[in-house]
Amino acid sequence: QPRFSGESPAPRDGCEAAWTYYPPSRRHLLFSGWNGAEPFQDLWAWDPERGWSSIPKLSQAWPEARLAHALAYDPRLGCLVLFGGSLNAFSGTRLDDLWEWEPKRGWIQRSPVPTWPGARGWHRLVQDPLQQRLLLVAQRKPSDQPPLRRTEAQRQPARRHRRDGHRFFDRLLVL
């Protein structure tokens, strides 16, 4: 259970942390992130009436500190799902790990399967409420992230450009 201590998480830089709503507790959860120098390895809950609370580790299993990762609630499994990210902003080392979290058991790492998406960062997990599943919207720079295998791609929307001029390709994957 969260501890409401009056504390709050350290400031995060940009959109490097993952933030999602967790319906069973009616709270928003924040995991990890970046302060401009190093990534965090913390999990916080925010309740609009009570404020911030730190969520303690229940076991040794805990995802590595990271940034540019994706986090979402999976209504079918009834837990949070965390995928990928980057170890730090400078090395470009991407992660391809998948974790599930729920309050009573903490974090559990899942083993890869053949259709696993490649390591990536700056992607999003979103709910598909009609199909009761999660979708991975994968953004990648062609030069630094592996292409998706054909079996993973459900749709391949047109290229788009960010304001800074870097090209990213969107992919929609079913997890």
Side-chain angles (χ1 to χ4, degrees), residues 48-64:
E49 295 175 11
R50 301 172 79 184
W52 286 104
S53 59
S54 174
I55 298 177
K57 289 183 180 182
L58 297 177
S59 68
Q60 291 296 95
W62 195 272
E64 289 183 82

Side-chain angles (χ1 to χ4, degrees), residues 84-122:
S86 182
L87 291 178
N88 70 56
F90 307 111
S91 75
T93 304
R94 304 285 188 268
L95 301 167
D96 68 348
D97 53 348
L98 181 73
W99 293 81
E100 293 176 1
W101 180 87
E102 69 176 48
K104 292 181 181 170
R105 61 185 169 113
W107 289 105
I108 295 175
Q109 187 170 15
R110 296 297 175 197
S111 298
V113 296
T115 58
W116 203 270
R120 63 195 62 250
W122 292 275

Side-chain angles (χ1 to χ4, degrees), residues 21-37:
Y21 183 67
Y22 187 69
S25 67
R26 293 188 296 240
R27 294 187 178 106
H28 294 269
L29 297 177
L30 172 77
F31 179 73
S32 202
W34 177 259
N35 68 1

Side-chain angles (χ1 to χ4, degrees), residues 6-150:
E7 297 178 33
S8 63
R12 298 338 190 201
D13 185 29
C15 60
E16 308 299 350
W19 168 267
T20 194
Y21 183 67
Y22 187 69
S25 67
R26 293 188 296 240
R27 294 187 178 106
H28 294 269
L29 297 177
L30 172 77
F31 179 73
S32 202
W34 177 259
N35 68 1
E38 62 186 357
F40 294 100
Q41 192 181 15
D42 52 359
L43 180 62
W44 288 84
W46 182 75
D47 180 310
E49 295 175 11
R50 301 172 79 184
W52 286 104
S53 59
S54 174
I55 298 177
K57 289 183 180 182
L58 297 177
S59 68
Q60 291 296 95
W62 195 272
E64 289 183 82
R66 65 191 64 213
L67 61 133
H69 50 291
L71 181 71
Y73 177 73
D74 187 328
R76 186 187 47 172
L77 298 175
C79 65
L80 285 184
V81 174
L82 167 72
F83 181 74
S86 182
L87 291 178
N88 70 56
F90 307 111
S91 75
T93 304
R94 304 285 188 268
L95 301 167
D96 68 348
D97 53 348
L98 181 73
W99 293 81
E100 293 176 1
W101 180 87
E102 69 176 48
K104 292 181 181 170
R105 61 185 169 113
W107 289 105
I108 295 175
Q109 187 170 15
R110 296 297 175 197
S111 298
V113 296
T115 58
W116 203 270
R120 63 195 62 250
W122 292 275
H123 53 287
R124 296 293 174 256
L125 284 173
V126 295
Q127 284 186 25
D128 176 353
L130 297 176
Q131 299 292 322
Q132 291 289 302
R133 63 186 179 179
L134 289 180
L135 302 174
L136 175 68
V137 181
Q139 297 182 356
R140 69 174 185 89
K141 291 182 186 176
S143 63
D144 71 355
Q145 290 187 317
L148 300 175
R149 292 180 293 275
R150 285 188 184 272

Side-chain angles (χ1 to χ4, degrees), residues 145-166:
Q145 290 187 317
L148 300 175
R149 292 180 293 275
R150 285 188 184 272
T151 58
E152 298 170 11
Q154 298 298 315
R155 269 187 246 154
Q156 297 185 3
R159 236 179 334 187
R160 69 181 177 90
H161 297 272
R162 288 188 355 179
R163 283 182 300 203
D164 62 9
H166 291 287

